[in-house]
Amino acid sequence: MIGHVVSHYRILQKMGGGGMGVVYRAEDLKLRRTVALKFLAPELTRDEDAKKRFLHEAQAASALDHPNICGIHEIDETPEGQLFIAMTCYDGESLKERIARRKLEVEESFQIAFAVAQGLGRAHASNIIHRDIKPANVMITSDGFVKIIDFGLSKLIGRSRVTGSGATLGTVAYMSPEQARSEEVDARVDIWALGAILYEMLTGRLPFRGEIDQAVVYSILNEDATPIKSIRPDVPDACVAIVMRCLAKDAADRYQSAEDFSVAVFEAGRKLGWADAFSSAGVRAVSVVQNRTRGQRGRVRPIFLVAAGCTMLAALFVWHPWQRGSIYTTQIRLAVVPLERLGDAPSQALVDGLSQYVAGAFDRASRTRPSMWVMPFARVLEDRPADLDRAPDAFGVNRLITGEVQRYGDAYRLMLVMTGADGRAPEVSRSLTFSLDALQRLPEAVAIAVAEMVGTDKNPATLAVIADPLPSSSRAWERFLEGSGDCLHYNSLASLDSARVALADAVRLAPTYAPALAAQGYCDYLHFFRSRDPADLALAEPVLRRAIAIDSTYVPASIYLAKVLAHCGQTDEGIALLTRVIRRDPDCIDAYQDLGNALSSAQRYDEAEAVYKALVARKPDYFHGYWRLGWLYSNMGRPGLEFAAHKHAIQLAPDDFRTLNSLGICYSELGDWRAAREYWERAFLIRPSCGSSSNVGTMLYYEGRFADSAHYYQYALEYCDTTDYSYWANLACALYWADGRREDAIHTYRKAIRLAEARITEVPDDIGTIARLADYHAMIGEDERAREMIERSSGLNDMEVYFRLACAYASMDDPEHAIDYIGKAVREHYPVHEIQREPLFRDLVRDPRLRTVLEKAARGRDDARG
């Protein structure tokens, strides 16, 4: 195999093998990255049903995005039919190898188990059970990060593994009693296995042993594990109790979730004085926070605001500081989540388009029913938490619509289910049967079902409002739904190209169907964001104007056209268009949000404030209106009002990660890192993101823990866009200050410089990047080149540019200019406490001239807050 090319992977070397298959290190020839290719043993998938089960679960597992889960890039098969999985390749060792190599400390053991539990919690939230957690399936990278591998293989190992040969002893030893009895299993089998791993880490032995598999199974079912204290007396009683609860033979007596286990471990660690056991020391259980909601700031801050590890984790798992019952005034607050496509259903694009249509139908129903609003579907798609159970608190809703589409005889069935998030409303469901040949009848059936589910009238006028304009043919509506569904995946040019073809067909088949024309124009607008080709905008505008001319009451066409006009420099016309939409439909949440955004972009802040206030007056318990107000106040430099707006938003939606992150920003700008950390870590638990390590790295950087910071920045590069120079610069900066890593820092800075220069080639007037280049060149001693960049970046009144130039001058040992630019940065509201924490300015902050500048800025900020 070595040297052979399989698909687009060149095999480099064999890494290992076992009963499940053989693993090779390989080069991805398309993306120029190193991956691990696992070729599954042929006997595992000779059964076509087994292969289908594996592919279904592996596809689900590939969608898991969590720092403690190994990423799956692709599932494919060779021309000979042998399945293989392309996974992220890590340098390091398996937990099995570490246990064999040395004795693990008690704290280290629980730290590893805590990290595994974080990954399991993410998988369980997606209804994925690993079923084969064991030390061989836990990797510890060379940088100390814990990774669970082999998600997606559980369906292949779900059959009985008791062979009598002892060949599979390593797996059988971690089986739960219910697995041993071949019973139906749930996530608690992974909790059992985690307990078995902990037992082994602490004692060096398996909890249940035997010469052959049957003996091990008998021990699991009938015997107790040897007491841990008899093998290792130094293990604290609290730790022993955690392990033994995991190994309870009755699943009802175990921890019921990975979250429960994590809380117990954290509490035990806190009492034992393991202050950093679950954040950044040793083996890391990585925390995650979401994107910044403002412009970039800070020396090493790329897109994401900083976050600490899990030092407040236990409190955050149960954190619910607000009493919410009395603050809502709307009877039905509803969100629709995407429909699930099951089995041999229509195309995924059609199901996605149908999801959007159903959400729109519920929104239109809210116009006919008093005391009801619906969360905009685009907001649901963008902000949906990984754990759907958190959705009600993430959106501030008390009704959730879920559903599925699957084959039903010779036709298809659409099932809609409305659940009451507050536990008081009964579950309501409707089942609709449809065929593609008569698809145009489905809107009327959906309208009737929606009216019944929300309790509004079913008279013809009401149903016409809910159904929206009806298509003229089934095929036209099918292509409209497919195109609309593909548009939801706007980050992919391929999806947008497919959408263009489908929507062109829909318009050809129904040239006067306004929704199809509007969707076509919006697709061109979305394509512009991927291609940056102005011709896409030129295509969008006339199509959208035609849709409005055909049906001026079709609101989405006006909203889409306003977006296009804003990018064509015709902001005033777009504002007038959105104003007319609100006048005609005062309950259209999207119109308020877009109008406020347009006015804010035009720096017409007072008008934008009035729009957002009108939205919260109309929808007083729609949290996102208050978040928008807070965002606006941050741009207006009114921190007191910003803080109050975000506090109100979080009362309405305690699990909204954006608001939690915004509150973290508020506290960080006050220099209250402890409070900021609480909000950022809460956001992590709700919505993990690829920026987690970068965030943690930034916090550690400002705390002066540069080696740990570098570890996190290096880890972030596994998840983030590696063509983004800022991530490499983050790593370089941390390495620069870490002991013994200066040479590595210079090498990494050079990579960041190459990427930033490529950016300048594309956008020559990107002053922010030019200022960063001045900083980077100065850091590696290229003073002449740095001064060229300083000259090119002068003239822009921007706090980030000033900060970067101050860094450059400090690196070149020019304190006069450095102090001058620091003064300019803080006068533009650059955070004083970050200046004080920046290691480049250690000597400067003792200079009386700079102290005067910083004190004056701090007083001015305090006066503004007062």
Side-chain angles (χ1 to χ4, degrees):
M1 291 285 285
I2 308 301
H4 290 190
V5 175
V6 177
S7 183
H8 53 92
Y9 302 100
R10 178 180 287 116
I11 308 297
L12 301 178
Q13 68 180 95
K14 184 176 179 179
M15 298 174 65
M20 299 300 293
V22 182
V23 183
Y24 293 90
R25 185 185 300 270
E27 178 189 7
D28 185 334
L29 299 176
K30 286 185 178 179
L31 299 179
R32 297 298 177 186
R33 62 183 174 185
T34 301
V35 300
L37 291 189
K38 183 159 194 169
F39 289 87
L40 302 186
E43 60 269 18
L44 294 175
T45 54
R46 286 199 181 106
D47 179 349
E48 282 301 313
D49 288 338
K51 180 184 287 190
K52 288 179 182 178
R53 288 195 303 271
F54 160 70
L55 288 173
H56 176 76
E57 182 141 325
Q59 287 163 358
S62 69
L64 296 175
D65 181 11
H66 191 276
N68 297 119
I69 297 176
C70 173
I72 298 176
H73 304 307
E74 185 178 9
I75 304 143
D76 203 347
E77 59 182 312
T78 66
E80 295 76 28
Q82 186 177 13
L83 286 171
F84 66 87
I85 309 172
M87 303 176 289
T88 305
C89 186
Y90 304 106
D91 290 325
E93 63 182 346
S94 70
L95 179 56
K96 180 179 180 180
E97 293 168 326
R98 178 165 291 196
I99 292 171
R101 182 167 57 83
R102 64 172 173 83
K103 178 181 178 181
L104 275 65
E105 296 297 328
V106 176
E107 181 177 343
E108 178 187 6
S109 298
F110 276 86
Q111 201 174 0
I112 293 170
F114 184 90
V116 173
Q118 300 306 291
L120 289 176
R122 172 65 182 89
H124 295 168
S126 298
N127 296 316
I128 296 174
I129 308 167
H130 193 289
R131 296 183 180 88
D132 196 31
I133 292 293
K134 58 185 178 181
N137 282 341
V138 177
M139 283 289 299
I140 303 172
T141 73
S142 57
D143 290 323
F145 294 97
V146 176
K147 301 281 189 178
I148 307 171
I149 65 174
D150 277 0
F151 268 107
L153 297 182
S154 57
K155 288 298 184 187
L156 297 183
I157 61 169
R159 65 199 193 293
S160 175
R161 292 162 293 184
V162 183
T163 65
S165 67
T168 58
L169 180 60
T171 290
V172 173
Y174 305 93
M175 284 197 337
S176 66
E178 54 267 38
Q179 285 174 293
R181 292 190 292 263
S182 298
E183 296 173 351
E184 289 294 319
V185 301
D186 58 25
R188 291 172 294 184
V189 301
D190 289 343
I191 303 298
W192 168 282
L194 188 53
I197 290 175
L198 254 177
Y199 186 102
E200 186 176 4
M201 286 192 287
L202 293 170
T203 66
R205 305 181 188 178
L206 292 168
F208 305 99
R209 297 184 292 172
E211 293 299 322
I212 61 173
D213 287 351
Q214 286 92 337
V216 176
V217 171
Y218 178 87
S219 181
I220 289 170
L221 293 174
N222 300 289
E223 298 176 348
D224 293 329
T226 302
I228 293 174
K229 287 277 196 178
S230 68
I231 304 170
R232 186 171 179 180
D234 65 317
V235 179
D237 290 343
C239 296
V240 171
I242 289 172
V243 177
M244 300 318 296
R245 183 171 175 183
C246 290
L247 293 177
K249 296 190 187 298
D250 187 339
D253 295 331
R254 292 175 214 149
Y255 295 107
Q256 298 302 290
S257 68
E259 182 177 298
D260 291 344
F261 172 87
S262 297
V263 171
V265 170
F266 183 90
E267 280 297 324
R270 180 178 60 80
K271 293 175 181 177
L272 291 167
W274 300 340
D276 295 321
F278 311 116
S279 55
S280 58
V283 182
R284 295 163 180 82
V286 182
S287 300
V288 189
V289 197
Q290 277 310 111
N291 301 41
R292 285 183 56 82
T293 53
R294 313 183 189 176
Q296 298 178 13
R297 284 207 318 244
R299 166 172 262 299
V300 292
R301 195 179 294 160
I303 299 173
F304 305 92
L305 198 63
V306 296
C310 295
T311 54
M312 298 292 291
L313 190 60
L316 293 174
F317 270 121
V318 295
W319 187 42
H320 234 285
W322 298 283
Q323 297 300 316
R324 305 164 42 227
S326 63
I327 63 174
Y328 299 108
T329 60
T330 308
Q331 292 177 1
I332 295 181
R333 308 179 307 281
L334 185 146
V336 179
V337 299
L339 303 172
E340 188 175 358
R341 176 176 178 261
L342 301 179
D344 185 20
S347 69
Q348 185 64 56
L350 189 145
V351 173
D352 289 342
L354 193 54
S355 300
Q356 186 175 45
Y357 176 77
V358 168
F362 276 100
D363 183 48
R364 291 185 292 274
S366 71
R367 308 300 196 274
T368 70
R369 188 197 187 284
S371 195
M372 174 180 170
W373 57 258
V374 177
M375 185 81 175
F377 189 62
R379 180 97 287 120
V380 173
L381 288 179
E382 191 170 347
D383 295 355
R384 182 175 50 165
D387 181 357
L388 197 58
D389 289 340
R390 291 188 181 273
D393 275 354
F395 300 143
V397 299
N398 62 353
R399 301 290 191 278
L400 201 64
I401 301 296
T402 59
E404 59 192 35
V405 180
Q406 61 181 339
R407 180 168 286 282
Y408 185 73
D410 294 332
Y412 300 99
R413 183 176 66 183
L414 166 63
M415 174 67 75
L416 298 176
V417 180
M418 181 169 72
T419 55
D422 57 8
R424 291 191 295 270
E427 181 177 292
V428 179
S429 64
R430 291 294 183 274
S431 178
L432 310 176
T433 304
F434 67 94
S435 67
L436 296 183
D437 291 340
L439 194 60
Q440 70 193 72
R441 300 175 187 169
L442 185 57
E444 294 179 84
V446 169
I448 294 170
V450 167
E452 291 174 346
M453 294 173 82
V454 302
T456 191
D457 292 334
K458 292 190 292 182
N459 59 60
T462 297
L463 295 179
V465 169
I466 298 174
D468 217 20
L470 296 177
S472 59
S473 74
S474 290
R475 181 58 177 166
W477 205 54
E478 179 182 355
R479 295 300 278 159
F480 163 71
L481 290 177
E482 289 175 336
S484 299
D486 275 328
C487 279
L488 297 177
H489 305 283
Y490 50 79
N491 287 324
S492 165
L493 268 177
S495 291
L496 291 176
D497 288 338
S498 295
R500 277 180 154 176
V501 172
L503 292 169
D505 284 348
V507 171
R508 177 179 54 80
L509 292 166
T512 60
Y513 185 44
L517 285 162
Q520 185 180 42
Y522 186 53
C523 183
D524 290 330
Y525 167 78
L526 293 173
H527 204 278
F528 162 73
F529 279 96
R530 299 298 299 169
S531 69
R532 289 296 169 183
D533 185 351
D536 288 330
L537 291 178
L539 289 172
E541 183 177 349
V543 174
L544 290 167
R545 291 190 185 278
R546 182 179 164 201
I548 294 171
I550 291 171
D551 185 354
S552 62
T553 67
Y554 186 65
V555 167
S558 295
I559 290 177
Y560 299 156
L561 180 57
K563 293 178 185 291
V564 172
L565 293 172
H567 285 276
C568 294
Q570 302 175 60
T571 303
D572 288 345
E573 185 182 352
I575 288 172
L577 199 59
L578 291 168
T579 302
R580 287 197 295 273
V581 169
I582 292 173
R583 192 178 300 122
R584 184 167 57 243
D585 183 2
D587 289 310
C588 182
I589 291 174
D590 283 332
Y592 286 99
Q593 294 180 163
D594 285 5
L595 178 56
N597 187 55
L599 290 166
S600 178
S601 298
Q603 297 187 350
R604 294 161 60 175
Y605 294 130
D606 291 342
E607 294 173 75
E609 181 184 13
V611 169
Y612 289 140
K613 284 185 173 180
L615 172 58
V616 299
R618 191 81 184 183
K619 310 289 182 185
D621 43 18
Y622 174 57
F623 80 95
H624 200 71
Y626 292 96
W627 182 86
R628 288 268 177 176
L629 260 179
W631 167 80
L632 176 67
Y633 287 137
S634 72
N635 289 337
M636 297 172 71
R638 301 171 72 179
L641 291 174
E642 173 192 3
F643 182 78
H646 286 144
K647 273 289 191 181
H648 196 86
I650 209 64
Q651 287 181 308
L652 293 166
D655 283 356
D656 174 52
F657 77 93
R658 291 181 186 275
T659 309
L660 289 164
N661 216 26
S662 295
L663 282 166
I665 293 171
C666 292
Y667 281 110
S668 72
E669 290 179 344
L670 291 169
D672 189 345
W673 293 106
R674 181 176 180 179
R677 185 179 296 126
E678 292 184 17
Y679 286 97
W680 288 329
E681 289 178 342
R682 176 69 172 169
F684 144 64
L685 292 172
I686 294 163
R687 181 69 180 274
S689 86
C690 69
S692 59
S693 292
S694 183
N695 303 334
V696 177
T698 301
M699 173 65 80
L700 294 171
Y701 178 89
Y702 281 124
E703 292 178 358
R705 296 163 62 182
F706 303 117
D708 281 340
S709 176
H711 281 309
Y712 276 92
Y713 285 137
Q714 192 167 27
Y715 178 72
L717 286 165
E718 294 183 15
Y719 285 87
C720 301
D721 178 5
T722 56
T723 65
D724 186 333
Y725 66 85
S726 64
Y727 291 107
W728 292 98
N730 290 350
L731 173 59
C733 192
L735 290 170
Y736 187 90
W737 299 105
D739 292 340
R741 304 298 301 274
R742 190 62 56 88
E743 186 175 336
D744 293 333
I746 292 172
H747 173 77
T748 308
Y749 265 124
R750 294 194 185 282
K751 183 173 183 66
I753 287 169
R754 289 194 297 273
L755 292 170
E757 287 175 341
R759 166 70 179 169
I760 296 301
T761 300
E762 297 176 1
V763 188
D765 59 349
D766 185 348
I767 302 301
T769 298
I770 294 170
R772 285 172 171 79
L773 277 169
D775 179 10
Y776 305 161
H777 282 296
M779 288 294 287
I780 62 175
E782 296 178 348
D783 291 6
E784 183 176 347
R785 186 68 173 146
R787 292 186 188 280
E788 290 178 20
M789 296 296 106
I790 290 173
E791 184 67 26
R792 287 180 61 183
S793 60
S794 61
L796 182 64
N797 182 28
D798 179 81
M799 68 175 183
E800 177 67 23
V801 170
Y802 290 147
F803 174 78
R804 294 290 170 175
L805 299 187
C807 290
Y809 279 120
S811 297
M812 294 188 293
D813 198 23
D814 186 342
E816 296 287 343
H817 281 98
I819 291 173
D820 179 45
Y821 276 100
I822 290 172
K824 292 178 179 179
V826 297
R827 281 191 290 274
E828 292 298 320
H829 305 294
Y830 198 93
V832 171
H833 57 270
E834 291 185 15
I835 297 290
Q836 294 168 331
R837 288 170 176 260
E838 171 54 53
L840 264 176
F841 302 150
R842 284 171 182 162
D843 295 330
L844 289 177
V845 294
R846 292 192 289 267
D847 189 304
R849 294 169 297 174
L850 182 56
R851 283 209 306 270
T852 300
V853 169
L854 297 181
E855 288 169 2
K856 183 177 180 181
R859 285 196 302 272
R861 193 72 54 84
D862 290 340
D863 292 342
R865 290 194 185 97

